[in-house]
Amino acid sequence: MGKRVALTGNEAAALAMKQINPDVVAAYPITPQTDIVQYFSSFVHDGKVKTEFVTVESEHSAMSATIGASAAGARAMTATSSQGLALMWEMLYIASSYRLPIVMPVVNRALSGPINIHCDHSDTMGARDSGWIQLYSESAQEAYDNLIQAVRIAEHPDVRLPVMVCFDGFITSHGLENLEILEDSEVSEFIGEFEPEYSLLDPEHPVTFGPLALQNYYFEFKRQQADAMTKVAAVVRRVGMEFEKVSGRHYELFEEYRLGDAEMAMVVANSTAGTAKEVVDELRAQGKKVGLLKIRMFRPFPKEEIAAALSSKQIVAVLDRADTYSTMGGPIYNEVRSALYDEKLRPLTMSYIYGLGGRDVGLDDIRKVFSDMEASRTAGKVSEPINYLGVHE
Amino acid sequence: MSQMLEIRWHARGGQGAKTAAILLAEAAAKAGKYIQGFPEYGPERMGAPMLAFNRISDEAIRVHCHVTNPRVVVILDPTLAGKVDVAEGVPDGGIILVNTSESPARMRSLLKLEGRPLQIYTVDASKIALETLGRDIPNTPMMGALMRVTKIMDYDYFLNLMKGELEHKFKSRPEVVEGNIKAISRAYEEVRGE
């Protein structure tokens, strides 16, 4: 079993990268970069990894270089956050359409403006339709575990897609927490050697990456990408089961916390899920039937499984640390609500936008959501479907 | 939850509150505790009021929000008194530990905490830091005083851990390690309370 240590989320992510020991890491070494790559660069300097470390002049170039390396058959990684992810934008789509198994930790932080460096999920939620798999992490432990599993998921022959591993800026990235880590050998054994199906550096089997595909073929490429996404859930589950054998820690597509017999359910991703669990326990002790569904895999969205877990509830509140500005509530809310549409029984639903730009979300905020849910349940209807939690108005 | 010790650090940017919170958490983790250590990152200006937090528990910690009801408050800069409500949310019986040359009774009055059932402790950590480290960095001596008033862990055990941590951080500067250990021990001895 693993060794317990105290690390920040960034240190934990850098350690996972060290143990993954990728062939190439390309990164932009200046803000908005996280100190993940700073720690990683010291591993390179000290000869702890065999990685070719490429410093580039922008996040756009970081993703471009990672794509080039991956297409050449290397196990390639980078890391980013906030505006950095925004600047990678057009290259994200290239990575997924080339079917490159790139793994990238993303520290979730707000997008400007106004200028803000703190936690919210606007960055990765903005990239939700870029064809990347997205895994969200409650803690440094989960960020570490998800990164290691992501390598296997991305490189699986049924998948061959890039993965973002998301965790909360400052709260997780800079907070010191306990976690259990694996031995280097356990990680290298778990992820195995990367065997690219196609490689630019294999002259015996020449291939083209990034050709022109107009009205004749573009659509077919995109159809295959969409088809690959349908294979992801099964792989995530299998990799999770194998990871449990090594680590003792259990991973599913999402986590159900005291959800089975709950009448009122909260849905939330990342660090706030931990705070919500405390409130669930507190309300359970008062005899209230409440539970939590924590989002782990948001892309692809496990629609049948989530619908099955929530359809029997009386009311569901979905918390989003990002807005869609569609007037229809947060991104997770929209997916959950849509997933429930085909169910015979449908709970009432509410959307809560919370914590934008790092606004702290405390136990009282979570208590308020449950008390709002109780009021709506009693009334039999939701009078305010779209809510902004903890905003000064 | 009731077994969890929560600490809030009040300081000004540059005084080392974040470092203290991280060092304390690392030491408690080595002692087998579950921990959190994190600052409230603001604009990160030297001299601006800032906060840092610790949670220390025998059980896994799940909450990921600011500490709002700390049982212990550590004030690295006494000039924050009257400008920041340092006792906000502190439950009855809670501890306020201040870096100041004032007496606990005088500090209680300066903080306008007469009548509140809180324990006030003071230690002149800045003076200790100047005399042992040559710079006004009160964070490490305050950790010595904190050990005295909270008994988070065995003091000798803590001192050994800190020595290890500091030797790791200041490999090439043994005088810094020695100065810090002296500062911690002096603050442990000199802290007064009421």
Side-chain angles (χ1 to χ4, degrees):
Chain A
M1 219 34 52
K3 182 170 80 171
R4 206 171 94 191
V5 296
L7 296 174
T8 67
N10 281 338
E11 287 171 335
L15 175 65
M17 285 175 71
K18 172 176 167 247
Q19 294 181 315
I20 291 165
N21 199 355
D23 302 311
V24 175
V25 167
Y28 178 63
I30 311 169
T31 298
Q33 184 54 270
T34 65
D35 42 22
I36 296 172
V37 298
Q38 186 195 323
Y39 297 129
F40 189 79
S41 66
S42 68
F43 298 142
V44 176
H45 175 266
D46 297 343
K48 301 272 172 64
V49 288
K50 61 170 173 52
T51 308
E52 180 75 30
F53 187 69
V54 189
T55 53
V56 291
E57 76 285 4
S58 77
E59 304 277 1
H60 188 283
S61 300
M63 183 46 67
S64 301
T66 308
I67 287 168
S70 184
R75 186 176 262 159
M77 297 181 76
T78 182
T80 192
S81 179
S82 180
Q83 305 299 121
L85 183 64
L87 189 54
M88 281 180 183
W89 200 257
E90 60 179 0
M91 301 318 292
L92 293 178
Y93 285 74
I94 309 286
S96 56
S97 80
Y98 284 13
R99 306 288 298 277
L100 299 175
I102 294 166
V103 172
M104 172 167 71
V106 182
V107 171
N108 281 119
R109 295 186 356 212
L111 294 175
S112 295
I115 298 169
N116 183 296
I117 59 166
H118 288 282
C119 175
D120 74 33
H121 303 163
S122 305
D123 48 6
T124 56
M125 282 300 167
R128 68 184 187 267
D129 298 338
S130 61
W132 283 58
I133 296 164
Q134 290 191 336
L135 301 177
Y136 286 80
S137 321
E138 177 182 329
S139 57
Q141 179 78 71
E142 291 190 2
Y144 172 84
D145 291 348
N146 278 335
L147 275 167
I148 293 165
Q149 292 176 71
V151 175
R152 286 280 303 278
I153 296 163
E155 293 173 3
H156 193 283
D158 290 351
V159 176
R160 300 277 184 202
L161 285 168
V163 183
M164 281 179 207
V165 172
C166 314
F167 56 98
D168 279 350
F170 292 99
I171 301 162
T172 304
S173 70
H174 288 63
L176 191 75
E177 296 187 344
N178 311 86
L179 66 151
E180 276 186 14
I181 58 171
L182 300 171
E183 296 294 336
D184 292 357
S185 58
E186 289 175 310
V187 175
S188 55
E189 208 168 295
F190 180 78
I191 62 173
E193 287 290 317
F194 174 44
E195 284 159 21
E197 205 170 338
Y198 305 101
S199 159
L200 284 175
L201 298 184
D202 180 4
E204 301 298 311
H205 306 91
V207 286
T208 303
F209 279 80
L212 189 68
L214 301 176
Q215 301 94 323
N216 50 357
Y217 285 123
Y218 180 90
F219 200 175
E220 284 66 34
F221 277 94
K222 291 301 167 186
R223 178 69 188 89
Q224 288 182 21
Q225 243 181 280
D227 186 56
M229 275 292 192
T230 66
K231 314 275 175 56
V232 173
V235 173
V236 170
R237 274 216 186 91
R238 267 206 306 282
V239 170
M241 284 193 286
E242 282 185 45
F243 187 74
E244 186 173 6
K245 284 183 202 146
V246 185
S247 67
R249 292 183 292 278
H250 185 71
Y251 283 89
E252 300 266 356
L253 302 177
F254 50 87
E255 182 187 340
E256 297 183 43
Y257 187 74
R258 307 187 81 163
L259 189 66
D261 68 337
E263 294 166 355
M264 300 190 287
M266 176 177 285
V267 178
V268 70
N270 279 11
S271 69
T272 303
T275 311
K277 286 174 187 171
E278 288 291 332
V279 176
V280 166
D281 284 356
E282 176 188 300
L283 297 176
R284 281 277 177 175
Q286 296 166 19
K288 295 188 197 297
K289 288 196 167 176
V290 298
L292 176 79
L293 188 154
K294 182 180 83 190
I295 297 290
R296 178 177 179 235
M297 185 180 83
F298 181 67
R299 279 293 181 267
F301 192 75
K303 56 182 186 302
E304 286 96 5
E305 294 85 352
I306 283 190
L310 294 176
S311 64
S312 64
K313 310 303 166 203
Q314 294 171 2
I315 185 160
V316 175
V318 184
L319 273 61
D320 277 284
R321 207 162 191 157
D323 201 347
T324 57
Y325 307 101
S326 64
T327 74
M328 286 177 62
I332 305 175
Y333 169 74
N334 275 282
E335 306 298 51
V336 168
R337 198 170 146 88
S338 174
L340 287 165
Y341 185 81
D342 292 324
E343 297 298 308
K344 268 201 203 88
L345 281 170
R346 286 200 296 257
L348 298 169
T349 61
M350 304 173 80
S351 172
Y352 284 84
I353 311 291
Y354 74 99
L356 298 190
R359 176 69 49 82
D360 190 41
V361 190
L363 298 163
D364 278 342
D365 296 304
I366 304 295
R367 288 182 190 117
K368 182 190 178 318
V369 174
F370 277 112
S371 109
D372 288 358
M373 269 196 265
E374 196 156 23
S376 290
R377 177 178 72 159
T378 310
K381 66 178 169 68
V382 174
S383 47
E384 287 288 343
I386 315 294
N387 300 273
Y388 290 81
L389 184 65
V391 74
H392 304 146
E393 296 188 289
Chain B
M1 276 285 277
S2 59
Q3 293 307 306
M4 184 159 68
L5 176 67
E6 294 184 302
I7 302 173
R8 184 173 66 211
W9 300 75
H10 288 270
R12 292 183 185 276
Q15 290 179 320
K18 180 201 161 189
T19 306
I22 297 291
L23 278 173
L24 175 66
E26 281 173 347
K30 289 228 166 75
K33 304 276 188 188
Y34 287 94
I35 54 92
Q36 283 180 351
F38 57 103
E40 179 190 55
Y41 281 92
E44 302 189 55
R45 284 167 299 158
M46 290 281 279
M50 60 85 67
L51 300 172
F53 306 99
N54 280 119
R55 291 190 175 96
I56 299 172
S57 173
D58 291 326
E59 286 166 29
I61 302 168
R62 299 180 299 186
V63 283
H64 279 108
C65 49
H66 288 176
V67 170
T68 47
N69 299 103
R71 196 136 47 90
V72 177
V73 170
V74 186
I75 302 161
L76 289 189
D77 190 329
T79 67
L80 291 168
K83 296 187 181 69
V84 177
D85 183 4
V86 294
E88 187 184 7
V90 181
D92 288 356
I95 291 171
I96 312 275
L97 170 62
V98 192
N99 165 29
T100 174
S101 56
E102 304 287 354
S103 70
R106 172 81 182 130
M107 207 59 221
R108 185 186 293 277
S109 139
L110 285 171
L111 291 171
K112 300 187 174 58
L113 295 174
E114 296 101 333
R116 273 191 63 182
L118 299 174
Q119 310 171 55
I120 313 285
Y121 290 91
T122 65
V123 62
D124 198 344
S126 287
K127 179 163 162 258
I128 293 172
L130 281 168
E131 289 173 6
T132 54
L133 299 163
R135 286 171 67 195
D136 182 4
I137 310 171
N139 59 354
T140 41
M142 285 302 270
M143 291 173 71
L146 184 66
M147 284 303 129
R148 181 73 175 267
V149 304
T150 59
K151 301 175 179 60
I152 294 167
M153 65 187 91
D154 179 76
Y155 175 62
D156 290 329
Y157 183 73
F158 170 75
L159 211 55
N160 265 328
L161 281 179
M162 284 305 295
K163 203 156 174 263
E165 291 288 329
L166 291 162
E167 275 167 358
H168 180 69
K169 279 191 170 49
F170 300 100
K171 272 177 204 147
S172 56
R173 298 166 66 196
E175 75 283 359
V176 177
V177 180
E178 199 185 318
N180 273 293
I181 294 298
K182 204 180 273 177
I184 291 170
S185 323
R186 269 192 60 188
Y188 182 85
E189 296 301 331
E190 292 174 23
V191 64
R192 294 166 293 169
E194 68 150 38

